[in-house]
Amino acid sequence: MSWKKQLQLLDFDAEVRLEARCCKCGYTWYEQPCIYYHKSHLRMLYVDEFENKLRCKQWNCGGKIKLAQTSEEETEGFQGGLA
């Protein structure tokens, strides 16, 4: 099972952002699940159901989107090497 089928929107903290990318035009933006907490018909949705309801925000597109978790951690380069 993927994380999208295990987590509901209510499971995310207030500062969490999900990256949304349109499959049709490639437009990318960030969604904050806490914005939808006050909408009773959306807050109980699992992430995969929420993903199916969202559409692209780009003008005249309306394509399906894919959600991905973001990380604020610092990325580091490869530290290893040959012995």
Side-chain angles (χ1 to χ4, degrees):
M1 265 187 131
S2 81
W3 65 275
K4 292 181 181 179
K5 294 184 184 213
Q6 294 176 346
L7 294 174
Q8 291 180 318
L9 291 184
L10 285 173
D11 294 335
F12 291 106
D13 292 332
E15 66 274 355
V16 171
R17 296 181 344 163
L18 298 175
E19 181 180 300
R21 190 179 71 76
C22 178
C23 296
K24 185 176 175 183
C25 70
Y27 181 69
T28 304
W29 71 96
Y30 292 98
E31 286 286 341
Q32 289 182 296
C34 66
I35 294 173
Y36 300 98
Y37 288 174
H38 70 282
K39 297 181 180 182
S40 62
H41 64 286
L42 290 177
R43 68 178 171 194
M44 296 300 287
L45 291 178
Y46 286 93
V47 176
D48 63 335
E49 297 169 336
F50 180 64
E51 182 180 60
N52 289 333
K53 288 193 177 289
L54 283 180
R55 293 290 177 234
C56 182
K57 293 183 176 185
Q58 187 71 314
W59 183 78
N60 205 19
C61 179
K64 287 187 167 189
I65 64 147
K66 291 289 181 188
L67 290 174
Q69 290 180 331
T70 59
S71 175
E72 297 294 326
E73 295 178 12
E74 190 173 320
T75 56
E76 296 180 11
F78 180 71
Q79 297 290 326
L82 297 174

